[in-house]
Amino acid sequence: LLSCRLYCEEAKDPKRRSCQTVLAEALDIVIRSFAPILPHLAEEVFQYIPYKKDSEGVFRTGWINASSAWKKPGIEEAIEGACAMRDSFLGSISGKNALEYEVIIVIEPGLLFELMEALQAEETSSVSQLNEIMMASQTTLLSELPKETPSDANIIKGTFLINLEGGDICEQSSYKVIARPIAKAKCPRCRRYTAESSNTPCPRCLQVLAAGKGST
């Protein structure tokens, strides 16, 4: 997830910048957390931080005070739900490369489906947050099984308990996960199987490369 966002997206892409922001926030919290017991190490790391700092030293930054902007209702449940589905997917292809597959997630209309839509607005995507979590080359989010699903398809069933607002909103939802070998070629740039030819980058990478040429 991190490597794809950091090395495959355009330099100023919001997805890449948001990843850098999370890493910077995590580093700041870790440094200030161990500063009282490892002061010299914390100070040395702080001095080598490659972005602008508000203070000259780690002990002048004050204690940890995470912004309330990081707390978004439903995000934690959405990520946990997606991770549960990812575990079902990876379990169904045990020992195989997840990027060689596309994933179909089927959830009946309800709160869990809405949470997954927050991670993937499109029906099918290879660049959504949901697909990044699934670790596949492509993810499709549906409210019912596709009509062309073979009768012998390996359908993994599971349930996920949603608990929001301290238990005021509680709903147990079921889901189905289908893993299918993807028919596309491996992109020589991002290594996902989303290209039309193994000699040509996928549409996402072509767009990023074109934007890079235009800015030089």
Side-chain angles (χ1 to χ4, degrees):
L1 174 57
L2 292 179
S3 61
C4 185
R5 285 196 176 195
L6 290 173
Y7 302 116
C8 295
E9 300 291 353
E10 187 182 353
K12 295 182 179 181
D13 188 281
K15 291 171 66 177
R16 183 175 185 272
R17 296 302 300 272
S18 67
C19 183
Q20 291 176 309
T21 300
V22 170
L23 290 174
E25 185 74 9
L27 177 62
D28 178 71
I29 291 175
V30 169
I31 292 173
R32 288 197 276 172
S33 295
F34 68 66
I37 55 176
L38 294 170
H40 299 293
L41 176 60
E43 185 62 36
E44 183 176 2
V45 174
F46 185 83
Q47 294 302 326
Y48 278 94
I49 289 177
Y51 48 82
K52 185 178 179 180
K53 303 177 285 290
D54 296 331
S55 303
E56 295 181 359
V58 67
F59 289 99
R60 296 184 179 183
T61 61
W63 190 237
I64 301 167
N65 184 23
S67 171
S68 59
W70 292 97
K71 298 179 181 179
K72 295 184 178 180
I75 291 297
E76 182 178 355
E77 287 72 18
I79 299 299
E80 289 180 351
C83 288
M85 297 174 199
R86 178 192 62 195
D87 292 344
S88 296
F89 159 58
L90 295 178
S92 70
I93 60 162
S94 181
K96 298 179 181 178
N97 183 2
L99 290 174
E100 295 180 358
Y101 289 82
E102 62 174 323
V103 182
I104 299 174
I105 300 173
V106 182
I107 309 171
E108 293 184 359
L111 186 53
L112 182 59
F113 188 86
E114 292 175 6
L115 290 174
M116 292 306 105
E117 280 189 314
L119 301 177
Q120 179 169 301
E122 309 87 352
E123 183 177 283
T124 299
S125 177
S126 60
V127 297
S128 68
Q129 294 181 68
L130 180 58
N131 187 67
E132 289 178 339
I133 293 170
M134 297 304 293
M135 300 169 62
S137 280
Q138 180 175 287
T139 297
T140 298
L141 179 62
L142 301 172
S143 59
E144 58 182 17
L145 280 173
K147 294 180 179 179
E148 66 274 12
T149 303
S151 58
D152 60 346
N154 183 20
I155 302 176
I156 308 300
K157 298 181 181 180
T159 59
F160 181 74
L161 178 63
I162 301 169
N163 196 334
L164 293 173
E165 299 183 9
D168 290 340
I169 301 176
C170 191
E171 180 179 301
Q172 181 151 339
S173 301
S174 60
Y175 62 83
K176 300 181 181 72
V177 174
I178 305 172
R180 300 194 307 198
I182 197 161
K184 294 186 178 181
K186 185 177 182 180
C187 173
R189 182 174 180 269
C190 70
R191 306 299 182 183
R192 288 182 175 175
Y193 289 76
T194 51
E196 298 301 323
S197 166
S198 58
N199 298 320
T200 306
C202 66
R204 188 274 301 271
C205 287
L206 286 173
Q207 184 177 353
V208 172
L209 292 171
K213 291 180 180 178
S215 61
T216 56

